[in-house]
Amino acid sequence: MSDQVPQPDGQPVLATHGLNKAFGALQATSDVSIDLRAGEIHAIIGPNGAGKSTLINQISGGLAPDSGRIEFLGRDISALPAQARAKAGLGRTFQISQLCMEDTVLENTVLGAIGETQGVWQFWRPALKTADLIARAEAALERVGLIAERDVTCANLSHGQRRQLEVAVALTLSPKAFIMDEPMAGLGAAGSKNLTGFLDGLRQEAPILLVEHDMDAVFALADRISVLVYGKIIATGTVDEVRSSKEVREAYLGEAA
């Protein structure tokens, strides 16, 4: 894992500027401007259908915005494909698993280390014999607590272990920032607690843009929270500021605040 990347004059590690995306008459994101700073976890919350997945897909390169731009480490990456953004240091975990279920934990992690996609996996099978890739993959598995399962087929992992494996895959590329899309999804109380503890320490190595519905995890982890409702950011602030916002309470949090 790389050290935090200092940005000049407090410049954000990652920033969006006026992102817009429409699907017909539906405005999925509307003039969304957010940033991620070194050493922080910035959580994006909001009701189902608010545009969170659309926003994350635009940032990670899976979906082109209609307008606006995305900057990463001071560079405009708006035109880069997802793979190029990953290689530049933008790590992502997914709401829906992107793992190769028929392959082992180690194979999945080595695949992450070479930064390729599932579609070319057969071509990269010889990489399993490359010592430095294996060492990088094993180090990532050790960090997330899965080294003992290195030879287990992914299909035989628990849901929580698969979430851990996705983090390990992201770690192999030594990201300079993480985008995490509902990492707590499907985890029980114990699994959420364990992953919360891990992410709490991870922010010191690379900041995290976190989309999450588990409000206990959000309130425990977030340095800042942005609230997305009907494609628009209606509030950004600290946990206390967001919890005390009448507009946020009415639009989303309700009694959860």
Side-chain angles (χ1 to χ4, degrees), residues 64-83:
D66 295 333
S67 61
R69 72 183 191 279
I70 302 153
E71 294 180 352
F72 182 50
L73 301 175
R75 174 190 179 191
D76 188 337
I77 62 169
S78 305
L80 291 183
Q83 185 178 354

PDB file of all heavy atoms in Angstrom, residues 64-83:
ATOM      1  N   ALA A  64     -20.125   7.499 -18.466  1.00  0.00           N
ATOM      2  CA  ALA A  64     -19.676   8.846 -18.831  1.00  0.00           C
ATOM      3  C   ALA A  64     -20.710   9.879 -18.404  1.00  0.00           C
ATOM      4  O   ALA A  64     -21.903   9.713 -18.680  1.00  0.00           O
ATOM      5  CB  ALA A  64     -19.441   8.938 -20.324  1.00  0.00           C
ATOM      6  N   PRO A  65     -20.294  10.958 -17.750  1.00  0.00           N
ATOM      7  CA  PRO A  65     -21.252  12.025 -17.409  1.00  0.00           C
ATOM      8  C   PRO A  65     -21.670  12.785 -18.656  1.00  0.00           C
ATOM      9  O   PRO A  65     -20.941  12.817 -19.659  1.00  0.00           O
ATOM     10  CB  PRO A  65     -20.448  12.916 -16.459  1.00  0.00           C
ATOM     11  CG  PRO A  65     -19.023  12.682 -16.811  1.00  0.00           C
ATOM     12  CD  PRO A  65     -18.936  11.249 -17.266  1.00  0.00           C
ATOM     13  N   ASP A  66     -22.838  13.384 -18.593  1.00  0.00           N
ATOM     14  CA  ASP A  66     -23.276  14.242 -19.691  1.00  0.00           C
ATOM     15  C   ASP A  66     -22.492  15.548 -19.698  1.00  0.00           C
ATOM     16  O   ASP A  66     -22.244  16.133 -20.760  1.00  0.00           O
ATOM     17  CB  ASP A  66     -24.774  14.542 -19.559  1.00  0.00           C
ATOM     18  CG  ASP A  66     -25.636  13.298 -19.700  1.00  0.00           C
ATOM     19  OD1 ASP A  66     -25.202  12.340 -20.385  1.00  0.00           O
ATOM     20  OD2 ASP A  66     -26.737  13.273 -19.120  1.00  0.00           O
ATOM     21  N   SER A  67     -22.137  16.001 -18.520  1.00  0.00           N
ATOM     22  CA  SER A  67     -21.312  17.205 -18.398  1.00  0.00           C
ATOM     23  C   SER A  67     -20.636  17.189 -17.041  1.00  0.00           C
ATOM     24  O   SER A  67     -20.987  16.409 -16.153  1.00  0.00           O
ATOM     25  CB  SER A  67     -22.155  18.474 -18.557  1.00  0.00           C
ATOM     26  OG  SER A  67     -23.152  18.551 -17.556  1.00  0.00           O
ATOM     27  N   GLY A  68     -19.645  18.075 -16.870  1.00  0.00           N
ATOM     28  CA  GLY A  68     -18.870  18.109 -15.634  1.00  0.00           C
ATOM     29  C   GLY A  68     -17.544  17.402 -15.821  1.00  0.00           C
ATOM     30  O   GLY A  68     -17.267  16.810 -16.865  1.00  0.00           O
ATOM     31  N   ARG A  69     -16.732  17.435 -14.767  1.00  0.00           N
ATOM     32  CA  ARG A  69     -15.427  16.789 -14.861  1.00  0.00           C
ATOM     33  C   ARG A  69     -15.046  16.150 -13.528  1.00  0.00           C
ATOM     34  O   ARG A  69     -15.610  16.475 -12.477  1.00  0.00           O
ATOM     35  CB  ARG A  69     -14.359  17.767 -15.320  1.00  0.00           C
ATOM     36  CG  ARG A  69     -13.935  18.802 -14.297  1.00  0.00           C
ATOM     37  CD  ARG A  69     -12.913  19.771 -14.865  1.00  0.00           C
ATOM     38  NE  ARG A  69     -12.311  20.596 -13.836  1.00  0.00           N
ATOM     39  CZ  ARG A  69     -12.855  21.674 -13.317  1.00  0.00           C
ATOM     40  NH1 ARG A  69     -14.039  22.090 -13.736  1.00  0.00           N
ATOM     41  NH2 ARG A  69     -12.222  22.370 -12.385  1.00  0.00           N
ATOM     42  N   ILE A  70     -14.066  15.255 -13.605  1.00  0.00           N
ATOM     43  CA  ILE A  70     -13.570  14.524 -12.435  1.00  0.00           C
ATOM     44  C   ILE A  70     -12.064  14.701 -12.384  1.00  0.00           C
ATOM     45  O   ILE A  70     -11.365  14.481 -13.399  1.00  0.00           O
ATOM     46  CB  ILE A  70     -13.918  13.025 -12.537  1.00  0.00           C
ATOM     47  CG1 ILE A  70     -15.436  12.847 -12.658  1.00  0.00           C
ATOM     48  CG2 ILE A  70     -13.380  12.266 -11.335  1.00  0.00           C
ATOM     49  CD1 ILE A  70     -15.837  11.586 -13.369  1.00  0.00           C
ATOM     50  N   GLU A  71     -11.544  15.095 -11.240  1.00  0.00           N
ATOM     51  CA  GLU A  71     -10.106  15.274 -11.062  1.00  0.00           C
ATOM     52  C   GLU A  71      -9.597  14.308 -10.006  1.00  0.00           C
ATOM     53  O   GLU A  71     -10.235  14.117  -8.961  1.00  0.00           O
ATOM     54  CB  GLU A  71      -9.789  16.709 -10.650  1.00  0.00           C
ATOM     55  CG  GLU A  71     -10.097  17.730 -11.735  1.00  0.00           C
ATOM     56  CD  GLU A  71      -9.763  19.152 -11.308  1.00  0.00           C
ATOM     57  OE1 GLU A  71      -9.434  19.356 -10.113  1.00  0.00           O
ATOM     58  OE2 GLU A  71      -9.854  20.062 -12.167  1.00  0.00           O
ATOM     59  N   PHE A  72      -8.451  13.706 -10.296  1.00  0.00           N
ATOM     60  CA  PHE A  72      -7.819  12.763  -9.376  1.00  0.00           C
ATOM     61  C   PHE A  72      -6.340  13.090  -9.299  1.00  0.00           C
ATOM     62  O   PHE A  72      -5.648  13.124 -10.312  1.00  0.00           O
ATOM     63  CB  PHE A  72      -8.031  11.332  -9.878  1.00  0.00           C
ATOM     64  CG  PHE A  72      -7.452  10.267  -8.984  1.00  0.00           C
ATOM     65  CD1 PHE A  72      -7.712  10.249  -7.615  1.00  0.00           C
ATOM     66  CD2 PHE A  72      -6.647   9.270  -9.504  1.00  0.00           C
ATOM     67  CE1 PHE A  72      -7.184   9.272  -6.798  1.00  0.00           C
ATOM     68  CE2 PHE A  72      -6.115   8.280  -8.701  1.00  0.00           C
ATOM     69  CZ  PHE A  72      -6.382   8.281  -7.349  1.00  0.00           C
ATOM     70  N   LEU A  73      -5.882  13.408  -8.103  1.00  0.00           N
ATOM     71  CA  LEU A  73      -4.489  13.809  -7.876  1.00  0.00           C
ATOM     72  C   LEU A  73      -4.110  14.995  -8.763  1.00  0.00           C
ATOM     73  O   LEU A  73      -3.007  15.064  -9.302  1.00  0.00           O
ATOM     74  CB  LEU A  73      -3.544  12.626  -8.119  1.00  0.00           C
ATOM     75  CG  LEU A  73      -3.791  11.401  -7.238  1.00  0.00           C
ATOM     76  CD1 LEU A  73      -2.869  10.255  -7.648  1.00  0.00           C
ATOM     77  CD2 LEU A  73      -3.595  11.738  -5.765  1.00  0.00           C
ATOM     78  N   GLY A  74      -5.069  15.923  -8.921  1.00  0.00           N
ATOM     79  CA  GLY A  74      -4.810  17.129  -9.686  1.00  0.00           C
ATOM     80  C   GLY A  74      -4.898  16.966 -11.186  1.00  0.00           C
ATOM     81  O   GLY A  74      -4.636  17.916 -11.929  1.00  0.00           O
ATOM     82  N   ARG A  75      -5.303  15.790 -11.646  1.00  0.00           N
ATOM     83  CA  ARG A  75      -5.374  15.498 -13.083  1.00  0.00           C
ATOM     84  C   ARG A  75      -6.820  15.277 -13.502  1.00  0.00           C
ATOM     85  O   ARG A  75      -7.576  14.597 -12.802  1.00  0.00           O
ATOM     86  CB  ARG A  75      -4.548  14.242 -13.376  1.00  0.00           C
ATOM     87  CG  ARG A  75      -4.638  13.714 -14.796  1.00  0.00           C
ATOM     88  CD  ARG A  75      -3.981  12.347 -14.871  1.00  0.00           C
ATOM     89  NE  ARG A  75      -4.064  11.775 -16.213  1.00  0.00           N
ATOM     90  CZ  ARG A  75      -3.767  10.509 -16.497  1.00  0.00           C
ATOM     91  NH1 ARG A  75      -3.359   9.693 -15.534  1.00  0.00           N
ATOM     92  NH2 ARG A  75      -3.868  10.056 -17.731  1.00  0.00           N
ATOM     93  N   ASP A  76      -7.206  15.832 -14.629  1.00  0.00           N
ATOM     94  CA  ASP A  76      -8.546  15.597 -15.163  1.00  0.00           C
ATOM     95  C   ASP A  76      -8.593  14.188 -15.748  1.00  0.00           C
ATOM     96  O   ASP A  76      -7.908  13.891 -16.736  1.00  0.00           O
ATOM     97  CB  ASP A  76      -8.868  16.631 -16.240  1.00  0.00           C
ATOM     98  CG  ASP A  76     -10.326  16.578 -16.698  1.00  0.00           C
ATOM     99  OD1 ASP A  76     -10.966  15.520 -16.536  1.00  0.00           O
ATOM    100  OD2 ASP A  76     -10.810  17.590 -17.231  1.00  0.00           O
ATOM    101  N   ILE A  77      -9.400  13.318 -15.121  1.00  0.00           N
ATOM    102  CA  ILE A  77      -9.493  11.932 -15.585  1.00  0.00           C
ATOM    103  C   ILE A  77     -10.843  11.642 -16.247  1.00  0.00           C
ATOM    104  O   ILE A  77     -11.189  10.480 -16.475  1.00  0.00           O
ATOM    105  CB  ILE A  77      -9.268  10.939 -14.422  1.00  0.00           C
ATOM    106  CG1 ILE A  77     -10.352  11.093 -13.344  1.00  0.00           C
ATOM    107  CG2 ILE A  77      -7.865  11.100 -13.836  1.00  0.00           C
ATOM    108  CD1 ILE A  77     -10.358   9.976 -12.310  1.00  0.00           C
ATOM    109  N   SER A  78     -11.586  12.679 -16.575  1.00  0.00           N
ATOM    110  CA  SER A  78     -12.947  12.516 -17.079  1.00  0.00           C
ATOM    111  C   SER A  78     -13.018  11.637 -18.315  1.00  0.00           C
ATOM    112  O   SER A  78     -14.015  10.937 -18.532  1.00  0.00           O
ATOM    113  CB  SER A  78     -13.561  13.885 -17.400  1.00  0.00           C
ATOM    114  OG  SER A  78     -13.502  14.750 -16.287  1.00  0.00           O
ATOM    115  N   ALA A  79     -11.974  11.656 -19.146  1.00  0.00           N
ATOM    116  CA  ALA A  79     -12.002  10.897 -20.393  1.00  0.00           C
ATOM    117  C   ALA A  79     -11.343   9.523 -20.268  1.00  0.00           C
ATOM    118  O   ALA A  79     -11.359   8.743 -21.225  1.00  0.00           O
ATOM    119  CB  ALA A  79     -11.306  11.696 -21.501  1.00  0.00           C
ATOM    120  N   LEU A  80     -10.793   9.197 -19.102  1.00  0.00           N
ATOM    121  CA  LEU A  80     -10.093   7.922 -18.943  1.00  0.00           C
ATOM    122  C   LEU A  80     -11.084   6.778 -18.742  1.00  0.00           C
ATOM    123  O   LEU A  80     -12.069   6.930 -18.014  1.00  0.00           O
ATOM    124  CB  LEU A  80      -9.141   7.971 -17.748  1.00  0.00           C
ATOM    125  CG  LEU A  80      -7.900   8.853 -17.849  1.00  0.00           C
ATOM    126  CD1 LEU A  80      -7.060   8.693 -16.579  1.00  0.00           C
ATOM    127  CD2 LEU A  80      -7.070   8.503 -19.077  1.00  0.00           C
ATOM    128  N   PRO A  81     -10.822   5.612 -19.337  1.00  0.00           N
ATOM    129  CA  PRO A  81     -11.656   4.443 -19.056  1.00  0.00           C
ATOM    130  C   PRO A  81     -11.407   3.925 -17.647  1.00  0.00           C
ATOM    131  O   PRO A  81     -10.419   4.293 -16.992  1.00  0.00           O
ATOM    132  CB  PRO A  81     -11.198   3.420 -20.115  1.00  0.00           C
ATOM    133  CG  PRO A  81      -9.806   3.834 -20.453  1.00  0.00           C
ATOM    134  CD  PRO A  81      -9.771   5.329 -20.324  1.00  0.00           C
ATOM    135  N   ALA A  82     -12.295   3.051 -17.184  1.00  0.00           N
ATOM    136  CA  ALA A  82     -12.227   2.563 -15.804  1.00  0.00           C
ATOM    137  C   ALA A  82     -10.885   1.905 -15.505  1.00  0.00           C
ATOM    138  O   ALA A  82     -10.303   2.105 -14.436  1.00  0.00           O
ATOM    139  CB  ALA A  82     -13.362   1.582 -15.554  1.00  0.00           C
ATOM    140  N   GLN A  83     -10.366   1.096 -16.418  1.00  0.00           N
ATOM    141  CA  GLN A  83      -9.111   0.395 -16.165  1.00  0.00           C
ATOM    142  C   GLN A  83      -7.952   1.367 -15.970  1.00  0.00           C
ATOM    143  O   GLN A  83      -7.103   1.182 -15.098  1.00  0.00           O
ATOM    144  CB  GLN A  83      -8.809  -0.557 -17.315  1.00  0.00           C
ATOM    145  CG  GLN A  83      -7.581  -1.429 -17.088  1.00  0.00           C
ATOM    146  CD  GLN A  83      -7.352  -2.401 -18.228  1.00  0.00           C
ATOM    147  OE1 GLN A  83      -8.164  -2.514 -19.146  1.00  0.00           O
ATOM    148  NE2 GLN A  83      -6.244  -3.111 -18.178  1.00  0.00           N
TER     149      GLN A  83
END
